Structures are given as structure tokens and as C-alpha cells.
């Protein structure tokens, strides 16, 4: 009998339930279930950050969903758009407590978030009246083709240049006023 238990022990260990995140990391199911409440508290804190509280796609409030691989929080409507693009582009997951989350997925959400994603992918947003097909097309261009990548950084640089020009103009006006006083 001791031989049978020695044989069954490794077999039982090998059959331990595993869970795979949407990013491909395998975890012991028991561990993921044990950490579920803590993981959802982390998600809730992340979703409350000002930029993450608004949908990365349309800007609406209510980010109950996320694209785990892109690291962005989205609204229900835009989660549907992301699902329509396919999992090769966006891996959508609910944030409200229904889904289990792995540490790798949480880490990706922490590292990216909506603000960093806007800098990386661009700030293109669909008009409020855009159809689902139009929204899918815009999102594909944004994330698959990277058509708007860097546009946020370029816009920020342009704004900084405008501020510098305005500051230089104010200084010139002040100098002219001083010269007129003399």
C-alpha cells in the first residue's frame, strides 16, 4: 500500500486545477480564487483613478470592463466594440466581480491604464452618434494599425510650443511698453 499512495500523490498533484489568464499565464485555481476579492479591490481602486473612470474609447463614465492586453478600461458599449475586433487585438474582461483576474492582468492594467494608452495609441474618439461598425473601424485603426499612435504626444508638443510662443509675445509686449515709458 505505501507504493500506491506514493504513486497517487504525484498524480493528484499533477491533476491540480489550473486557471489560465487571458494573457496566457497559468495559476493554481485555488490561489486565484483565494485572491479574487483582493484582486477586485485593486481593480476598483484603478477604475477610480480620474483617467480610468472614463472609457478609453468614447470618454463616457462607467468603466465596468477592461481590455486586459491593451491595459485600458472601457464602458459596456465599447467592450462590445472590442469584442467585435477579435481577441487577437483586444481581450475583454469584466471588472465587476464576475471574472477571475490574474496578477499578470492586474500588472498590465497598473502599468498602462487609460492615460498611458492614450499617449501610446492616440486620443481618437468616435462621435457620439457613431454606429457600432464605425466604432469598430476606428478602434481597429487605433490598436491594430496604430494609425493615431503618437498623436497625443504630438498634440502635447504642439500645445507646449504654443505656450512658449505666447510667453515670448508677452515678454516682447512688456519690453515695448518699457521702451515707450523711457
Amino acid at each position: 500500500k505505501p507504493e500506491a499512495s506514493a504513486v497517487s500523490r504525484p498524480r493528484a498533484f499533477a491533476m491540480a486545477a489550473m486557471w489560465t489568464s487571458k494573457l496566457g499565464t497559468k495559476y493554481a485555481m485555488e490561489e486565484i480564487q483565494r485572491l479574487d476579492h483582493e484582486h477586485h479591490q485593486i481593480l476598483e481602486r484603478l477604475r477610480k483613478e480620474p483617467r480610468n473612470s472614463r472609457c478609453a474609447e468614447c470618454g463616457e463614465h462607467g468603466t465596468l470592463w477592461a481590455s486586459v492586453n491593451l491595459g485600458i478600461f472601457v464602458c459596456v458599449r465599447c467592450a462590445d466594440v472590442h469584442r467585435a475586433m477579435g481577441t487577437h487585438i483586444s481581450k475583454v474582461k469584466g471588472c465587476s466581480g464576475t471574472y477571475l483576474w490574474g496578477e499578470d492582468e492586474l500588472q498590465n492594467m497598473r502599468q498602462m491604464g487609460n492615460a498611458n494608452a492614450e499617449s501610446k495609441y492616440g486620443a481618437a474618439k468616435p462621435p457620439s452618434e457613431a454606429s457600432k461598425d464605425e466604432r469598430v473601424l476606428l478602434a481597429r485603426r487605433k490598436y491594430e494599425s496604430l494609425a493615431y499612435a503618437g498623436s497625443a504626444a504630438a498634440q502635447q508638443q504642439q500645445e507646449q510650443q504654443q505656450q512658449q510662443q505666447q510667453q515670448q509675445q508677452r515678454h516682447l509686449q512688456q519690453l515695448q511698453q518699457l521702451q515707450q515709458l523711457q
Side-chain angles (χ1 to χ4, degrees), residues 8-110:
S8 62
R9 199 171 301 138
R11 183 177 288 159
F13 180 74
M15 297 176 120
M18 299 299 286
W19 178 84
T20 306
S21 77
K22 289 197 176 220
L23 299 178
T25 305
K26 292 190 183 303
Y27 297 92
M29 177 63 90
E30 185 179 311
E31 176 190 6
I32 290 298
Q33 289 174 334
R34 183 176 52 79
L35 294 170
D36 185 50
H37 181 71
E38 180 184 332
H39 286 178
H40 278 6
Q41 287 179 326
I42 293 168
L43 276 172
E44 186 65 27
R45 281 194 302 273
L46 289 171
R47 288 178 43 231
K48 285 182 178 178
E49 291 178 11
R51 294 294 290 275
N52 293 339
S53 69
R54 298 181 79 88
C55 177
E57 290 306 314
C58 68
E60 294 293 319
H61 283 286
T63 54
L64 294 173
W65 293 84
S67 173
V68 176
N69 62 311
L70 296 174
I72 59 172
F73 292 95
V74 295
C75 67
V76 172
R77 183 163 145 178
C78 292
D80 188 43
V81 168
H82 275 251
R83 273 193 221 91
M85 287 193 297
T87 57
H88 64 291
I89 300 171
S90 183
K91 298 176 188 320
V92 181
K93 189 173 214 174
C95 299
S96 63
T98 307
Y99 293 89
L100 295 171
W101 281 72
E103 184 56 42
D104 61 334
E105 296 168 323
L106 291 170
Q107 187 60 32
N108 202 44
M109 300 306 293
R110 279 187 205 103

